[in-house]
Amino acid sequence: MNKQTSSQLGDALASSESTSSAPGLSTDPLCPLSVYDLTVAYHRKPVIWDVGFDLPAGQLIGVVGPNGAGKSTLLKAIMDLIPRASGRVRVFGDTYAHNRKRVGYVPQRESVDWQFPVSALDVVTMGLYDDIGWFFPVRKKHRARALEALDRVGIADLANRQISQLSGGQQQRTFLARALVQDADLYLMDEPFAAVDAATERAIVEILRDLKKREKTAVVIHHDLQTVPEYFDHVILLNMRVVSHGPVSETFTSENLQKTYGGRLTLLDEVTEAMRRREQAL
């Protein structure tokens, strides 16, 4: 993308952000996340295209799709971590920048430099920097809050352990604690279940269910299709564009999964059977 094109896109985006509302874009302060006409492109090649949805509050929402579907790109574009070619995003009725403190983020574990010389407690305390301030010391009350968050994810005893010495599951719990300590209203989680042990997966599920009880909203990128009906209330099926989104009971169907995955879906029969068993158990 040349400089002139980038400038034009930037001007257009700035103009669109100044608009208070648009068809399909919710400015309802009770709507945790509204996305309208969102497109992201790398070297003129779209990664996500014309993505739009409004999400319900107080729900656990899974984002599902094949590798390369743009799931991580979607979360990063929502948080202004990467530029958007077009589109608008509203978080609780306003821009992400305005409501950033109300959003907690759990990145992919593979994207983190785990050799950085800090402890688990230090990592969690970083989630409080908006409260602490970048040029002020971390106080005892801040460390107490961070320790409480580590206790919620079951690793308070590892608070002083260097992050490089933690197992993969313990590292994932540390970043969950960093998000939890913010006491956000909307959580964006990029593959929190990836490559974790069974105990950590159960702990994450319990954390998600606790967030729902507290009327928080969680948007979670997820790969295990068989557990989608068990873990989530609402699902977004994504393959560059939104194939479908809505309540799991209505949206997570064989037909929609086939549209999302096409010939790459190898677990369709198993997922269908798991869904059938779950419906019988209800």
Side-chain angles (χ1 to χ4, degrees), residues 42 72-84 96 100 105 107 188:
Y42 296 138
S72 296
T73 297
L74 172 62
L75 294 193
K76 291 175 182 177
I78 288 169
M79 295 183 293
D80 296 330
L81 296 177
I82 56 176
R84 307 191 297 261
Y96 169 77
R100 186 170 65 88
Y105 175 50
L188 306 177

Side-chain angles (χ1 to χ4, degrees), residues 99 103 196 203 205 229:
N99 277 327
V103 181
V196 298
V205 171

Side-chain angles (χ1 to χ4, degrees), residues 51-114:
V51 169
F53 50 77
D54 293 336
L55 296 184
Q59 300 285 294
L60 303 180
I61 299 156
V63 181
V64 173
N67 292 334
K71 301 183 293 296
S72 296
T73 297
L74 172 62
L75 294 193
K76 291 175 182 177
I78 288 169
M79 295 183 293
D80 296 330
L81 296 177
I82 56 176
R84 307 191 297 261
S86 68
R88 280 159 281 186
V89 174
R90 288 294 179 267
V91 175
F92 297 105
D94 212 322
T95 62
Y96 169 77
H98 185 269
N99 277 327
R100 186 170 65 88
K101 288 185 178 181
R102 299 183 67 182
V103 181
Y105 175 50
V106 179
Q108 283 188 13
R109 191 161 56 86
E110 290 76 11
S111 67
V112 177
D113 179 8
W114 294 106

